Amino acid sequence: ILPLTLANDVFGGLTTSRLNRLLREEKGWSYGASSSAAPTRGAMPFLLTAPVDRERAGESIAAIRGLLAEFHGSRPPEAAEVDRARASSVRGLPAEFETGGAMLGALERSVVLGRPDDYLATLPARIDNVPLAAVRAAPIPAAGDLAFIVVGDRAAIEPQLKALGLPVEYRSLP
């Protein structure tokens, strides 16, 4: 789980992530984009959120797919990126236990996920010891593994989605 957490932080889990930098800072298409991989007992869901201008929906999906291809190919996580993700994870731990409810939630997750009693106490050292190779091998999904849910004005977005050559399904709201 820790290699995946760090890989996700590099890809989209932090404000300094590749995803947010690309869509927000470089392109200016979104106020903020992020991804998450929530720990569960079974398969971990990977969620990516990128609210973008409707005129940029298709380009944003193409950019996300390209970013994932780079992540898995020509531009895997770099040591400096992983070091920033490690530092952010470790430095952010105290904030996760600021209230009684937050502490209870952390303990509940430990029980539900079958973590050892010393999980929280040993977490900083385990985060620091995740090898770069393990982060690079973490199961961040490939572009072809994702299903994109696009909400918006069909007339404005449909031509963009068709241009991508991806399968499209339409669902109407009740």
Side-chain angles (χ1 to χ4, degrees), residues 64-86:
I64 291 165
R65 291 173 56 84
L67 199 59
L68 282 166
E70 287 178 357
F71 198 83
H72 290 292
S74 64
R75 234 179 107 217
E78 298 170 3
E81 292 176 303
V82 175
D83 287 343
R84 277 193 303 274
R86 278 192 193 101

Side-chain angles (χ1 to χ4, degrees), residues 96-97 99-110:
E96 292 187 30
F97 310 111
T99 66
M103 187 64 189
L104 180 60
L107 293 172
E108 286 174 333
R109 277 188 303 282
S110 287

Side-chain angles (χ1 to χ4, degrees), residues 6-165:
L6 292 171
N8 178 66
D9 284 350
V10 170
F11 179 77
L14 301 173
T15 57
T16 58
S17 71
R18 292 180 182 187
L19 177 65
N20 194 56
R21 277 196 329 258
L22 177 67
L23 294 182
R24 177 186 167 125
E25 296 172 17
E26 293 174 25
K27 304 284 187 184
W29 295 344
S30 177
Y31 182 71
S34 64
S35 65
S36 64
T40 62
R41 288 180 137 178
M44 291 174 59
F46 179 80
L47 303 173
L48 190 147
T49 305
V52 297
D53 293 331
R54 72 175 166 212
E55 296 82 19
R56 301 293 186 187
E59 289 175 285
S60 296
I61 290 172
I64 291 165
R65 291 173 56 84
L67 199 59
L68 282 166
E70 287 178 357
F71 198 83
H72 290 292
S74 64
R75 234 179 107 217
E78 298 170 3
E81 292 176 303
V82 175
D83 287 343
R84 277 193 303 274
R86 278 192 193 101
S88 178
S89 290
V90 171
R91 290 182 187 140
L93 286 172
E96 292 187 30
F97 310 111
E98 286 182 331
T99 66
M103 187 64 189
L104 180 60
L107 293 172
E108 286 174 333
R109 277 188 303 282
S110 287
V111 170
V112 168
L113 297 173
R115 295 172 173 165
D117 290 342
D118 67 347
Y119 179 82
L120 297 174
T122 61
L123 188 54
R126 286 184 294 109
I127 290 170
D128 283 338
N129 290 317
V130 173
L132 177 61
V135 175
R136 288 180 171 168
I140 292 288
D145 296 334
L146 296 180
F148 291 90
I149 298 172
V150 181
V151 178
D153 178 12
R154 184 172 174 175
I157 296 172
E158 184 174 33
Q160 298 174 57
L161 298 179
K162 286 185 176 184
L164 293 173

